[in-house]
Amino acid sequence: MSRTFIMIKPDAVRNRHAGEIIARIEKEGFKILGMKYVKLAENDAKEFYKVHAARPFYGELCRDMSAGPIVVAALERENAVLHWREVIGATDPKEAAPGTIRAMYAESKGANSVHGSDSDENANSEITFFFKGFELV
Ligand code: DAT
Ligand code: MG
């Protein structure tokens, strides 16, 4: 068993897809260790996405990610990181495979509905960013 960290981004919450995405989490066999509904300040988004600080879209990304409420969750499953990346699809919804969350719901490469950790190491640090130990059940 391994863990991943996921976010339902502001565009998906605004477009009322949060419930369908949570249903997909359950259908894909993930155990929900922790989940909450929060709104990031722009500085929180800057800290979370600091690995992308040098990329041209960093400012827009941090503004978009703090523009409205999000759902954050720590999930457990066999191969959690890889499986969730398969379920969400490519970063750009135009390149995302049919049936993936981004193909179904994303508006654009920036407003792409969901986040998923890219490694076990980053999953653990992203979970720690949002959750205290007692919030993981
Ligand atoms: P992913 O979310 O698929 O792991 P990433 O880590 O490369 O993608 O980038 C983080 C987020 O930044 C991504 O979900 C949306 C945004 N982003 C990435 N590339 C972008 C681009 N070329 N233009 C606008 N936003 C972009
Ligand atoms: Mg990434």
Side-chain angles (χ1 to χ4, degrees):
M1 286 296 172
S2 63
R3 292 178 173 192
T4 193
F5 172 77
I6 74 101
M7 297 192 281
I8 304 175
K9 295 186 179 185
D11 63 284
V13 172
R14 188 177 61 243
N15 293 327
R16 299 181 175 266
H17 295 309
E20 291 154 287
I21 294 170
I22 292 167
R24 182 69 177 268
I25 287 169
E26 294 186 319
K27 184 169 159 279
E28 295 292 339
F30 289 97
K31 180 183 174 200
I32 300 170
L33 301 176
M35 179 175 280
K36 49 193 178 182
Y37 185 69
V38 298
K39 184 171 179 292
L40 296 176
E42 196 170 334
N43 277 338
D44 301 321
K46 283 182 175 163
E47 174 65 20
F48 182 82
Y49 278 115
K50 65 185 176 195
V51 294
H52 295 308
R55 318 248 316 249
F57 56 82
Y58 180 62
E60 185 192 349
L61 172 65
C62 298
R63 276 193 301 280
D64 286 354
M65 286 303 298
S66 55
I70 61 175
V71 176
V72 297
L75 306 180
E76 185 178 72
R77 190 191 185 280
E78 219 169 90
N79 250 323
V81 165
L82 198 66
H83 190 76
W84 182 249
R85 299 288 311 192
E86 283 171 9
V87 169
I88 67 179
T91 307
D92 184 343
K94 291 197 226 80
E95 290 161 20
T100 60
I101 291 175
R102 283 166 167 170
M104 291 194 285
Y105 306 129
E107 294 178 340
S108 64
K109 203 168 180 179
N112 63 0
S113 298
V114 277
H115 169 80
S117 306
D118 60 10
S119 67
D120 288 356
E121 191 191 350
N122 286 339
N124 284 322
S125 62
E126 291 172 0
I127 289 169
T128 304
F129 185 92
F130 280 97
F131 293 95
K132 295 187 175 175
F134 68 78
E135 294 179 294
L136 301 169
V137 298

